[in-house]
Each structure stands twice: as C-alpha cells, then as structure tokens.
Amino acid sequence: MSLRFALLALLRVGPLSGYDLQKQFALSVGHVWHAPDSQIYPELRKMEAEGLVEGEEQARGQRGTRRVYHVTDAGERAFQEWMRSPLEYARVRDPAHLRAAYLEASTPAAAREFFRAHIAQWEGELAQWEGELKRIAALDNPMLARRLAATPPPDRERTVAFKRFTYEGLVERARGEIDWARRGLALVDGLEAADGEWAGSGANGA
Amino acid sequence: MSLRFALLALLRVGPLSGYDLQKQFALSVGHVWHAPDSQIYPELRKMEAEGLVEGEEQARGQRGTRRVYHVTDAGERAFQEWMRSPLEYARVRDPAHLRAAYLEASTPAAAREFFRAHIAQWEGELAQWEGELKRIAALDNPMLARRLAATPPPDRERTVAFKRFTYEGLVERARGEIDWARRGLALVDGLEAADGEWAGSGANGA
DNA sequence: GTCCGCATGTAAGCCGTTACATGATTAG
DNA sequence: CTAATCATGTAACGGCTTACATGCGGAC
C-alpha cells in the first residue's frame, strides 16, 4: 500500500518515465521500500487509472516509445492525505528473532552461523545506509539534487534534515542488530563452555 | 514461510489442538511472528498433507471433535533443517522511515503527530516484550514451563538463555525506535523555530 | 553486426489480511 | 437458558515474488 506513495514522492519533484523512475527508485526510496520493476510498471498503470498520475507517450527513435508520468492534482492531494493520516504498522514478523528464540534446539555451530549471517546481513544494510548518509551530506544524490533545485532556498534545510534524520535512524537500527548478534556469538561461546554436552544431537522436544 | 516453523517450534514440546496452539501462539511465538487463526488452521492442514505433523481426531462431548496435532519425524527433521539453513531476510519495506524521509512536504503538526504515533506504537511493542522478558525470568509463561518440564535439567539454562536473549534484542530495538522518534519531535521543534515559514501549505513538488 | 542499456511489461503462485460462517460445550 | 469460550474453518482480495517475454536504439 505504501508503494504508490513512494512513487508519488519521487514523481513530485518532476516527471519521469517508468524506466527512469525505476532506476531512481533503487537509488533513493528503494533504500527504505524495496520494489522490483515488475511491480512498479503495473502500479503506475493502476495509479493512472485512478487519476493519481498521468502518463504521456513520447516517441523514442522511429518506433520506440516511452511513457513519462507526472503527478496530477489528485495525486498531490492523495500524497498529502497519506502524510496526514495515521501510518499502518505491519504486525511483527521477524524470522531472525523467531529462530533466535529456539536456538537451543540446534547446534552451537548452527547458532554461530546464524549470528554470523545476521551480522553480514545488517552490515550490508548498514553500508547502504551509511553511503546514502554521506551522499546526502555531500548533496551527491541525483534525486536529492533535483529535489533541492526545485525547492525554494528557505525550505532546503528541512528537506535535507529529514533525509539525514531518516537514514540516521536506519544506521542506528543496523548497528543495534549487529551488536545484538555479536552478543549472540558471545552467548553461544559461554553456553558451550558452561556445558560440554551441547552437542545438539537434535531432538529434545517432547 | 516461517509460520510452519513457528508452529513446529510450539508443537515440538508436545501435542496440541489447533485451538490450543492458536492460543499459545498468541502468548509466545506470536510476539515475534504474528499469525491469525484463519491462517493457522489451514497451515496445519497443509503441514499434515506434507507429513510434518499428524492430527488425531478426538471426541469432545457428544458430537464435538477436536484435532490434536503432534510433530512427526519428518517434521522434526524439517525443523532441524530450517535451523541449519540460511535465513531468508525480507527486503526492507519500512513505511515509517519512508514517510520520515518526506516529512518536509507536510506540516509541523502532521510531522509531530507521526512521531507521536511512532512512539505509541513502539511503546506498545516494548510493553509486550518487556512483559515477556519478566515472564521468562519468572518462568511464568505456560509454554516455557511446559518446555522446561520436557527438557533435561542440564539443557534448561540454554533454553531460557536464548529466550531471554531474543526478547532483550526486541526490547532494545523498540527503545531505539522510541529514541529516534523523540529526536524527531525535537527536530521538528528546531526546524519550526528556525523558519517560521514552514506552514506546510502543501505543494512544493516540481 | 553485436552487445549493452533502454523500455515495458505478463503470468503464476504464495503469503497474508479481513470478514464472514457455524456449531458444540460448559459454567453460571 | 444464556453467554462465554471451545473449536474449526471458508472466501475474496491484495500485495509481492519469481520467472519469463519482447523488442528498439545507440555505441563500438
């Protein structure tokens, strides 16, 4: 349900083709809301059918065409409404913590592997988000630059401030996950040292 | 895809009916992996069809019946395999940070309301998880008690340790979100003070 | 002329949500 | 006898994933 607002957020700074949108998406909003192209193109069509955006067919070479979308008044209103409406939070569904809660049922080796993978996963995200923070500070992101160019000077500080603030939050979250998993590794060490019997032969269920 | 493993994790400590399972689910695994009853019953049927669990029809009163499920060997193997296999992380899709990144497009009032709701949301989760932590420390959770009763004494420490560790991680995450949102409120104050013009009349897009 | 990037999708399927539907048993 | 709780689902729909499908344009 948020995809359309992510798309509107990008289109609000100026018209883009589906293709460009999709490329820019991956480099900006995509860092907080992933979406593959196979979802973006149909969603744009749906939004057009609902009057939130309008697409103009443009010629490209002899036979090629591309569809350039821009936000309509209704689209802008929908975006503003979304901004003012309470956010719908997804129910918790966290595979990593689900597994962590039952790690005693497995082996020390598997537990370590799990935590190592968790660290790797979040270090990847961390790198993305830290990179984005740097690009924000340097005004080095193409969409952000375009947005600032279209923003009256007194409003620019705010625009940058919220982007920075958002990514700071994400960076902290990633660090938290990494810290937690590191402590998980230490916990496995401790438990294994305390009890040589944790071979994890398997069944200790009923 | 994790739902079945959450169900297996519960059933591994002993047979349960769909109904009991669903009740216990909400009080234990449900804190990390939400699932409504309307998903649990069909999933149990599917798991039975795949041989992971077996259900026995039991009489209840004159005409009533209930189906009591237990884990099969294949189910136990599937659980162990899952424990050893790399976890599939969902792509990032975070409506709160999505909105946060574009808060300059809205009004200070709406921004504050957003952060307040974020705090309320995570304080709710925090209360759940802290409550669960206390119940773990007091061995006051019915499923945990049952599990410990079915666990050989030397293995009990580990069982409790991983539960505690899991919920500690969740508590920290919640605190992180709350801290972030509090700083968001401060940021809105600062930006509003710095520039009286942020009335958020709306359109500052293209 | 060939390859890379531009450009746009469709199809099948799973997972999950919300709402609805039904009836039996037991405690008061 | 009435309400709560035990007990088990179905139906419709939406969002997302994965894989597949197609063809043009420009650069080398």
Short mmCIF file of all heavy atoms in Angstrom, two decimals, chain B residues 35-76:
data_model
loop_
_atom_site.label_atom_id
_atom_site.label_comp_id
_atom_site.label_asym_id
_atom_site.label_seq_id
_atom_site.Cartn_x
_atom_site.Cartn_y
_atom_site.Cartn_z
N ALA B 35 0.35 -14.32 13.60
CA ALA B 35 -0.50 -15.08 12.68
C ALA B 35 -1.90 -15.19 13.27
O ALA B 35 -2.06 -15.54 14.43
CB ALA B 35 0.08 -16.46 12.42
N PRO B 36 -2.91 -14.89 12.48
CA PRO B 36 -4.30 -15.03 12.92
C PRO B 36 -4.74 -16.49 12.79
O PRO B 36 -4.15 -17.25 12.02
CB PRO B 36 -5.07 -14.16 11.95
CG PRO B 36 -4.26 -14.20 10.70
CD PRO B 36 -2.82 -14.35 11.12
N ASP B 37 -5.80 -16.86 13.51
CA ASP B 37 -6.31 -18.24 13.48
C ASP B 37 -6.62 -18.68 12.06
O ASP B 37 -6.41 -19.83 11.69
CB ASP B 37 -7.58 -18.44 14.30
CG ASP B 37 -8.06 -17.20 14.99
OD1 ASP B 37 -7.28 -16.23 15.06
OD2 ASP B 37 -9.20 -17.18 15.45
N SER B 38 -7.15 -17.73 11.30
CA SER B 38 -7.58 -18.09 9.95
C SER B 38 -6.39 -18.52 9.09
O SER B 38 -6.56 -19.05 8.01
CB SER B 38 -8.29 -16.92 9.29
OG SER B 38 -7.40 -15.86 9.07
N GLN B 39 -5.20 -18.26 9.59
CA GLN B 39 -4.03 -18.74 8.86
C GLN B 39 -3.49 -20.03 9.48
O GLN B 39 -2.93 -20.88 8.78
CB GLN B 39 -2.94 -17.65 8.88
CG GLN B 39 -2.00 -17.73 7.70
CD GLN B 39 -0.83 -16.79 7.81
OE1 GLN B 39 -0.81 -15.89 8.66
NE2 GLN B 39 0.17 -16.96 6.98
N ILE B 40 -3.67 -20.16 10.77
CA ILE B 40 -3.10 -21.30 11.49
C ILE B 40 -3.79 -22.61 11.12
O ILE B 40 -3.12 -23.60 10.80
CB ILE B 40 -3.15 -21.06 13.01
CG1 ILE B 40 -2.16 -19.94 13.38
CG2 ILE B 40 -2.83 -22.33 13.78
CD1 ILE B 40 -2.15 -19.56 14.84
N TYR B 41 -5.11 -22.63 11.12
CA TYR B 41 -5.82 -23.88 10.81
C TYR B 41 -5.46 -24.42 9.42
O TYR B 41 -5.09 -25.59 9.29
CB TYR B 41 -7.33 -23.68 10.96
CG TYR B 41 -7.80 -23.57 12.39
CD1 TYR B 41 -8.30 -22.39 12.91
CD2 TYR B 41 -7.74 -24.68 13.23
CE1 TYR B 41 -8.74 -22.30 14.23
CE2 TYR B 41 -8.18 -24.60 14.55
CZ TYR B 41 -8.69 -23.39 15.05
OH TYR B 41 -9.12 -23.32 16.34
N PRO B 42 -5.57 -23.62 8.39
CA PRO B 42 -5.21 -24.14 7.07
C PRO B 42 -3.74 -24.57 6.98
O PRO B 42 -3.43 -25.57 6.33
CB PRO B 42 -5.47 -22.96 6.13
CG PRO B 42 -6.35 -22.04 6.88
CD PRO B 42 -6.11 -22.26 8.32
N GLU B 43 -2.87 -23.82 7.66
CA GLU B 43 -1.45 -24.18 7.60
C GLU B 43 -1.22 -25.54 8.24
O GLU B 43 -0.43 -26.35 7.73
CB GLU B 43 -0.60 -23.10 8.29
CG GLU B 43 0.91 -23.33 8.20
CD GLU B 43 1.46 -23.18 6.79
OE1 GLU B 43 0.82 -22.52 5.96
OE2 GLU B 43 2.55 -23.75 6.52
N LEU B 44 -1.91 -25.80 9.34
CA LEU B 44 -1.78 -27.12 9.98
C LEU B 44 -2.22 -28.23 9.02
O LEU B 44 -1.58 -29.28 8.92
CB LEU B 44 -2.62 -27.16 11.25
CG LEU B 44 -2.01 -26.44 12.46
CD1 LEU B 44 -3.03 -26.31 13.58
CD2 LEU B 44 -0.76 -27.16 12.96
N ARG B 45 -3.30 -27.97 8.32
CA ARG B 45 -3.79 -28.96 7.34
C ARG B 45 -2.75 -29.20 6.25
O ARG B 45 -2.50 -30.34 5.86
CB ARG B 45 -5.10 -28.48 6.70
CG ARG B 45 -6.28 -28.49 7.65
CD ARG B 45 -6.71 -29.91 7.94
NE ARG B 45 -7.92 -29.96 8.76
CZ ARG B 45 -8.62 -31.06 8.97
NH1 ARG B 45 -8.24 -32.22 8.44
NH2 ARG B 45 -9.69 -31.04 9.74
N LYS B 46 -2.17 -28.11 5.79
CA LYS B 46 -1.15 -28.23 4.76
C LYS B 46 0.05 -29.02 5.27
O LYS B 46 0.60 -29.87 4.58
CB LYS B 46 -0.68 -26.84 4.31
CG LYS B 46 -1.34 -26.34 3.05
CD LYS B 46 -0.86 -24.95 2.65
CE LYS B 46 0.59 -24.92 2.21
NZ LYS B 46 1.06 -23.51 1.94
N MET B 47 0.44 -28.70 6.52
CA MET B 47 1.59 -29.39 7.09
C MET B 47 1.29 -30.87 7.26
O MET B 47 2.17 -31.71 7.10
CB MET B 47 1.95 -28.76 8.44
CG MET B 47 2.56 -27.37 8.29
SD MET B 47 2.58 -26.45 9.84
CE MET B 47 3.87 -27.30 10.75
N GLU B 48 0.04 -31.15 7.59
CA GLU B 48 -0.33 -32.56 7.73
C GLU B 48 -0.24 -33.27 6.38
O GLU B 48 0.30 -34.36 6.27
CB GLU B 48 -1.75 -32.68 8.30
CG GLU B 48 -2.10 -34.12 8.63
CD GLU B 48 -3.41 -34.24 9.41
OE1 GLU B 48 -4.20 -33.28 9.38
OE2 GLU B 48 -3.60 -35.29 10.04
N ALA B 49 -0.74 -32.57 5.34
CA ALA B 49 -0.69 -33.14 4.00
C ALA B 49 0.75 -33.41 3.58
O ALA B 49 1.04 -34.35 2.83
CB ALA B 49 -1.37 -32.19 3.01
N GLU B 50 1.68 -32.59 4.09
CA GLU B 50 3.09 -32.77 3.73
C GLU B 50 3.82 -33.68 4.72
O GLU B 50 5.03 -33.86 4.62
CB GLU B 50 3.78 -31.40 3.67
CG GLU B 50 3.24 -30.55 2.52
CD GLU B 50 3.80 -29.13 2.54
OE1 GLU B 50 5.00 -28.96 2.84
OE2 GLU B 50 3.03 -28.18 2.29
N GLY B 51 3.09 -34.18 5.68
CA GLY B 51 3.67 -35.16 6.59
C GLY B 51 4.52 -34.60 7.73
O GLY B 51 5.24 -35.33 8.39
N LEU B 52 4.45 -33.29 7.94
CA LEU B 52 5.25 -32.68 9.01
C LEU B 52 4.61 -32.86 10.38
O LEU B 52 5.29 -32.88 11.40
CB LEU B 52 5.47 -31.19 8.74
CG LEU B 52 6.10 -30.85 7.39
CD1 LEU B 52 6.26 -29.34 7.25
CD2 LEU B 52 7.45 -31.53 7.24
N VAL B 53 3.28 -32.90 10.38
CA VAL B 53 2.56 -33.14 11.63
C VAL B 53 1.48 -34.18 11.35
O VAL B 53 1.15 -34.45 10.19
CB VAL B 53 1.89 -31.85 12.18
CG1 VAL B 53 2.92 -30.80 12.51
CG2 VAL B 53 0.86 -31.31 11.19
N GLU B 54 0.96 -34.75 12.42
CA GLU B 54 -0.16 -35.66 12.29
C GLU B 54 -1.25 -35.22 13.25
O GLU B 54 -0.95 -34.85 14.39
CB GLU B 54 0.26 -37.09 12.67
CG GLU B 54 0.43 -38.01 11.48
CD GLU B 54 1.02 -39.33 11.92
OE1 GLU B 54 0.72 -39.78 13.04
OE2 GLU B 54 1.81 -39.90 11.14
N GLY B 55 -2.47 -35.22 12.77
CA GLY B 55 -3.59 -34.83 13.62
C GLY B 55 -4.43 -36.03 13.98
O GLY B 55 -4.69 -36.88 13.13
N GLU B 56 -4.84 -36.07 15.23
CA GLU B 56 -5.74 -37.13 15.67
C GLU B 56 -7.07 -36.50 16.07
O GLU B 56 -7.08 -35.59 16.90
CB GLU B 56 -5.18 -37.84 16.88
CG GLU B 56 -4.26 -38.99 16.60
CD GLU B 56 -3.73 -39.56 17.91
OE1 GLU B 56 -2.85 -38.90 18.51
OE2 GLU B 56 -4.21 -40.61 18.34
N GLU B 57 -8.11 -37.01 15.51
CA GLU B 57 -9.45 -36.54 15.84
C GLU B 57 -9.81 -37.07 17.23
O GLU B 57 -9.73 -38.27 17.49
CB GLU B 57 -10.44 -37.08 14.81
CG GLU B 57 -11.70 -36.27 14.68
CD GLU B 57 -11.50 -35.02 13.82
OE1 GLU B 57 -10.46 -34.92 13.12
OE2 GLU B 57 -12.38 -34.15 13.84
N GLN B 58 -10.18 -36.16 18.13
CA GLN B 58 -10.59 -36.60 19.47
C GLN B 58 -12.04 -36.20 19.72
O GLN B 58 -12.45 -35.12 19.31
CB GLN B 58 -9.71 -35.97 20.55
CG GLN B 58 -8.33 -36.58 20.64
CD GLN B 58 -7.58 -36.04 21.84
OE1 GLN B 58 -8.06 -35.12 22.52
NE2 GLN B 58 -6.41 -36.61 22.10
N ALA B 59 -12.78 -37.08 20.38
CA ALA B 59 -14.16 -36.73 20.72
C ALA B 59 -14.16 -35.68 21.81
O ALA B 59 -13.23 -35.59 22.62
CB ALA B 59 -14.91 -37.97 21.18
N ARG B 60 -15.19 -34.89 21.78
CA ARG B 60 -15.33 -33.86 22.80
C ARG B 60 -16.84 -33.74 23.05
O ARG B 60 -17.56 -33.26 22.19
CB ARG B 60 -14.74 -32.55 22.27
CG ARG B 60 -14.87 -31.41 23.23
CD ARG B 60 -14.09 -30.19 22.74
NE ARG B 60 -14.54 -29.02 23.48
CZ ARG B 60 -15.55 -28.25 23.09
NH1 ARG B 60 -16.17 -28.49 21.98
NH2 ARG B 60 -15.91 -27.24 23.86
N GLY B 61 -17.29 -34.23 24.19
CA GLY B 61 -18.73 -34.26 24.46
C GLY B 61 -19.39 -35.28 23.53
O GLY B 61 -18.77 -36.27 23.13
N GLN B 62 -20.65 -35.03 23.16
CA GLN B 62 -21.39 -35.98 22.34
C GLN B 62 -20.98 -35.93 20.87
O GLN B 62 -20.63 -36.93 20.27
CB GLN B 62 -22.92 -35.68 22.44
CG GLN B 62 -23.47 -35.81 23.83
CD GLN B 62 -23.13 -37.18 24.45
OE1 GLN B 62 -23.40 -38.21 23.86
NE2 GLN B 62 -22.52 -37.17 25.64
N ARG B 63 -21.03 -34.74 20.32
CA ARG B 63 -20.82 -34.63 18.88
C ARG B 63 -19.54 -33.86 18.53
O ARG B 63 -19.04 -33.99 17.44
CB ARG B 63 -22.03 -33.93 18.24
CG ARG B 63 -23.15 -34.86 17.82
CD ARG B 63 -24.32 -34.07 17.26
NE ARG B 63 -24.86 -33.14 18.26
CZ ARG B 63 -25.67 -33.50 19.25
NH1 ARG B 63 -26.04 -34.74 19.36
NH2 ARG B 63 -26.11 -32.62 20.14
N GLY B 64 -19.08 -33.06 19.48
CA GLY B 64 -17.93 -32.21 19.18
C GLY B 64 -16.64 -33.02 18.97
O GLY B 64 -16.50 -34.11 19.51
N THR B 65 -15.75 -32.51 18.14
CA THR B 65 -14.43 -33.14 17.98
C THR B 65 -13.37 -32.06 18.02
O THR B 65 -13.65 -30.88 17.81
CB THR B 65 -14.30 -33.86 16.62
OG1 THR B 65 -14.51 -32.90 15.58
CG2 THR B 65 -15.29 -34.99 16.49
N ARG B 66 -12.16 -32.48 18.33
CA ARG B 66 -11.03 -31.57 18.19
C ARG B 66 -9.86 -32.37 17.64
O ARG B 66 -9.76 -33.59 17.84
CB ARG B 66 -10.68 -30.92 19.51
CG ARG B 66 -10.55 -31.90 20.64
CD ARG B 66 -10.44 -31.19 21.97
NE ARG B 66 -9.20 -31.61 22.62
CZ ARG B 66 -8.30 -30.79 23.09
NH1 ARG B 66 -8.48 -29.49 23.01
NH2 ARG B 66 -7.20 -31.23 23.67
N ARG B 67 -9.03 -31.67 16.93
CA ARG B 67 -7.94 -32.33 16.24
C ARG B 67 -6.66 -32.00 16.97
O ARG B 67 -6.24 -30.84 17.04
CB ARG B 67 -7.87 -31.76 14.83
CG ARG B 67 -7.79 -32.82 13.78
CD ARG B 67 -7.74 -32.25 12.39
NE ARG B 67 -6.88 -33.11 11.59
CZ ARG B 67 -7.20 -34.38 11.33
NH1 ARG B 67 -8.33 -34.89 11.74
NH2 ARG B 67 -6.35 -35.12 10.64
N VAL B 68 -6.00 -33.02 17.48
CA VAL B 68 -4.77 -32.81 18.24
C VAL B 68 -3.58 -33.18 17.36
O VAL B 68 -3.51 -34.29 16.83
CB VAL B 68 -4.77 -33.65 19.53
CG1 VAL B 68 -3.44 -33.49 20.25
CG2 VAL B 68 -5.92 -33.21 20.43
N TYR B 69 -2.67 -32.22 17.20
CA TYR B 69 -1.54 -32.42 16.30
C TYR B 69 -0.26 -32.74 17.07
O TYR B 69 -0.02 -32.20 18.15
CB TYR B 69 -1.30 -31.14 15.49
CG TYR B 69 -2.39 -30.86 14.48
CD1 TYR B 69 -3.45 -30.02 14.79
CD2 TYR B 69 -2.33 -31.44 13.21
CE1 TYR B 69 -4.45 -29.75 13.85
CE2 TYR B 69 -3.32 -31.17 12.27
CZ TYR B 69 -4.37 -30.33 12.59
OH TYR B 69 -5.34 -30.07 11.67
N HIS B 70 0.54 -33.60 16.47
CA HIS B 70 1.89 -33.80 17.02
C HIS B 70 2.88 -33.82 15.86
O HIS B 70 2.52 -34.09 14.71
CB HIS B 70 1.96 -35.09 17.83
CG HIS B 70 1.68 -36.32 17.02
ND1 HIS B 70 2.67 -37.06 16.41
CD2 HIS B 70 0.51 -36.93 16.70
CE1 HIS B 70 2.12 -38.07 15.76
NE2 HIS B 70 0.80 -38.01 15.91
N VAL B 71 4.13 -33.54 16.18
CA VAL B 71 5.18 -33.46 15.17
C VAL B 71 5.62 -34.86 14.78
O VAL B 71 5.81 -35.72 15.63
CB VAL B 71 6.39 -32.69 15.73
CG1 VAL B 71 7.51 -32.63 14.70
CG2 VAL B 71 5.98 -31.28 16.14
N THR B 72 5.76 -35.10 13.49
CA THR B 72 6.29 -36.38 13.01
C THR B 72 7.81 -36.31 12.93
O THR B 72 8.40 -35.24 13.11
CB THR B 72 5.75 -36.70 11.60
OG1 THR B 72 6.22 -35.68 10.71
CG2 THR B 72 4.23 -36.71 11.59
N ASP B 73 8.42 -37.44 12.64
CA ASP B 73 9.88 -37.45 12.44
C ASP B 73 10.26 -36.51 11.31
O ASP B 73 11.23 -35.75 11.40
CB ASP B 73 10.35 -38.87 12.11
CG ASP B 73 10.33 -39.76 13.35
OD1 ASP B 73 10.04 -39.24 14.45
OD2 ASP B 73 10.58 -40.97 13.21
N ALA B 74 9.48 -36.55 10.24
CA ALA B 74 9.76 -35.68 9.10
C ALA B 74 9.65 -34.22 9.53
O ALA B 74 10.41 -33.36 9.09
CB ALA B 74 8.79 -35.97 7.97
N GLY B 75 8.69 -33.92 10.40
CA GLY B 75 8.51 -32.57 10.90
C GLY B 75 9.73 -32.13 11.71
O GLY B 75 10.24 -31.02 11.54
N GLU B 76 10.19 -33.01 12.57
CA GLU B 76 11.38 -32.70 13.37
C GLU B 76 12.59 -32.48 12.46
O GLU B 76 13.35 -31.53 12.65
CB GLU B 76 11.65 -33.85 14.35
CG GLU B 76 12.91 -33.70 15.19
CD GLU B 76 12.88 -32.50 16.14
OE1 GLU B 76 11.76 -32.02 16.49
OE2 GLU B 76 13.96 -32.01 16.52
#
